Amino acid sequence: MTDGERLARVVLARVLEPGDEIGGRWVRELGAEEVARRLTRGGDRLPGVSETRWKGLRGRAALARPERDLTQARDAGARYVCPGDGEWPAQLDTLGDGRPIGLWVRGRPSLRMWALRSVAVVGARACSEYGAHMAATLGAGLAERGWVVVSGGAYGVDGAAHRGALGAGGATVAVLACGVDRPYPRGHTQLIGRIAEQGLVVGELPPGDHPTPSRFLQRNRVIAALTRGTVVVEAAYRSGALVTARAAQRLGRFAMGVPGPATSALSAGVHELLRGGAVLVTDAAEIGELVGEIGELAPGRHGPVLPRDLLEPGTARVLSALPGRGVVGADRIALGAGTTEDDAVGRLYELRALGFVERHGDGWKLTRQGDDLQS
């Protein structure tokens, strides 16, 4: 990429809002340099916007100082990555004209390499203790399996997922809705600084820019496109985390949800997402099985093996033939088990040695252990 192209994209980062598909179409059809030239030096209004909107964009362009932005980013330890650069994650191109003009990246690792094996973990800001625990556990588990954990750096589930990955010594990426030199929320300044040292902090907005509600929503599309799948831990019916998961579905990525109590409003959105085709997951192994390569399977799940499960089938039938209460003769037990009396007696002595039955005169009855097995 030429220096002129890069500077033009830095200008457009100041002018166009994230996800502006009209501006993205201009860049695709005319090139970033021509679009920036028309906005900064005058020229015919580009199609798709009103005269009022065009004047507003030109007003923004007049204030753009691309060299200053690049210097400010460099001072903060950040760089500007554009489409066509070796570090650009190609999966962002699936956003079409809504893909980022470029990304400000703070941290040493390669964004493209890390994004190849990444999973988003998102959810409610005001999460419950259960939500925070699950997010941290998933973050740690994914990191231990070699996955990069991507989230939005926010309070609640996002912060817990980041901390879980960091605590496991793994990789994590925070995608911000503001300048990467301006940690938001303020209470996460230390956390975001630690992510920048151990991982990556990424954003579309130029240095010093502030977040807005629309920028948070547009940030979510980057999280969805950057990763192989999005896991929602807790989310109410109206939640930005659901926006991320639905964007993932539209882009052909995996959308996953961690279930919660049926009575919890914080899990209501997750349950609705699951009803809408998302996949239920409960741990990092299940996530890895879904989004990973062939052979990355979660361990088989089953209940505990009970002593009765280890009995030979004929012996188990004899045990089942004993009533729950009272003493019964071997002849009746044999009849219930569908075998001979001699065979039933032999198996009853085996069951007595195992502690399941006891003899009372000429009859047999269940012990407390055997009675528990019948219930």
Side-chain angles (χ1 to χ4, degrees):
M1 173 172 292
T2 65
D3 291 342
E5 172 83 3
R6 190 175 305 278
L7 283 173
R9 287 182 177 271
V10 174
V11 170
L12 295 178
R14 281 281 177 198
V15 177
L16 301 175
E17 281 294 308
D20 186 335
E21 294 190 2
I22 294 174
R25 187 175 71 246
W26 294 341
V27 172
R28 174 172 54 83
E29 294 177 349
L30 302 173
E33 289 185 84
E34 175 61 17
V35 175
R37 186 193 68 77
R38 291 204 194 182
L39 285 166
T40 57
R41 300 178 187 175
D44 294 338
R45 171 164 53 95
L46 291 169
V49 293
S50 66
E51 186 64 37
T52 300
R53 177 63 178 151
W54 180 250
K55 287 180 179 178
L57 293 175
R58 290 209 57 204
R60 281 189 172 191
L63 299 175
R65 299 291 183 271
E67 293 87 354
R68 182 186 62 189
D69 284 342
L70 289 171
T71 299
Q72 191 172 339
R74 189 163 50 248
D75 291 344
R79 57 194 177 276
Y80 195 57
V81 178
C82 304
D85 286 344
E87 194 180 351
W88 180 257
Q91 55 266 50
L92 291 178
D93 297 341
T94 58
L95 291 169
D97 288 339
R99 77 175 179 178
I101 298 296
L103 289 173
W104 303 90
V105 180
R106 183 179 163 203
R108 289 185 294 275
S110 166
L111 177 61
R112 183 180 70 84
M113 296 303 297
W114 273 29
L116 291 174
R117 189 175 166 84
S118 64
V119 177
V121 180
V122 297
R125 286 176 171 80
C127 66
S128 67
E129 289 185 11
Y130 163 77
H133 170 76
M134 286 302 303
T137 301
L138 292 177
L142 287 166
E144 289 167 353
R145 287 166 172 79
W147 289 93
V148 177
V149 177
V150 179
S151 198
Y155 292 132
V157 166
D158 289 17
H162 288 306
R163 289 188 180 95
L166 291 169
T172 189
V173 176
V175 182
L176 305 185
C178 56
V180 295
D181 63 332
R182 180 176 177 168
Y184 185 90
R186 290 286 185 85
H188 273 180
T189 298
Q190 185 175 358
L191 173 62
I192 292 171
R194 186 179 171 199
I195 294 171
E197 292 175 3
Q198 192 169 323
L200 290 171
V201 177
V202 177
E204 291 180 77
L205 279 301
D209 237 351
H210 62 280
T212 65
S214 64
R215 289 172 174 180
F216 280 118
L217 293 177
Q218 291 300 329
R219 178 272 309 273
N220 294 344
R221 86 194 193 288
V222 175
I223 293 175
L226 197 62
T227 55
R228 290 198 191 179
T230 295
V231 184
V232 183
V233 176
E234 280 188 326
Y237 283 122
R238 289 176 56 87
S239 169
L242 298 182
V243 173
T244 309
R246 287 170 181 146
Q249 289 176 314
R250 288 194 302 273
L251 293 167
R253 312 292 200 269
F254 292 101
M256 296 157 275
V258 177
T263 54
S264 171
L266 280 173
S267 290
V270 179
H271 297 159
E272 188 65 22
L273 185 69
L274 292 170
R275 285 169 53 84
V279 179
L280 186 151
V281 293
T282 60
D283 61 21
E286 292 176 353
I287 296 169
E289 180 179 76
L290 187 64
V291 303
E293 307 298 335
I294 294 174
E296 290 189 49
L297 301 179
R301 309 299 168 90
H302 50 75
V305 177
L306 302 175
R308 182 173 184 167
D309 298 331
L310 304 177
L311 296 175
E312 192 271 331
T315 306
R317 286 194 296 272
V318 169
L319 179 61
S320 296
L322 274 85
R325 295 287 183 274
V327 178
V328 65
D331 55 342
R332 286 184 57 191
I333 295 171
L335 187 64
T339 187
T340 65
E341 185 173 344
D342 286 344
D343 180 60
V345 168
R347 295 183 185 277
L348 284 166
Y349 276 107
E350 178 186 344
L351 289 167
R352 186 177 73 169
L354 294 171
F356 292 134
V357 301
E358 56 190 20
R359 186 172 179 180
H360 286 262
D362 292 331
W364 299 82
K365 68 174 293 187
L366 293 170
T367 62
R368 181 181 295 276
Q369 177 184 350
D371 192 28
D372 289 342
L373 292 173
Q374 297 284 60
S375 59

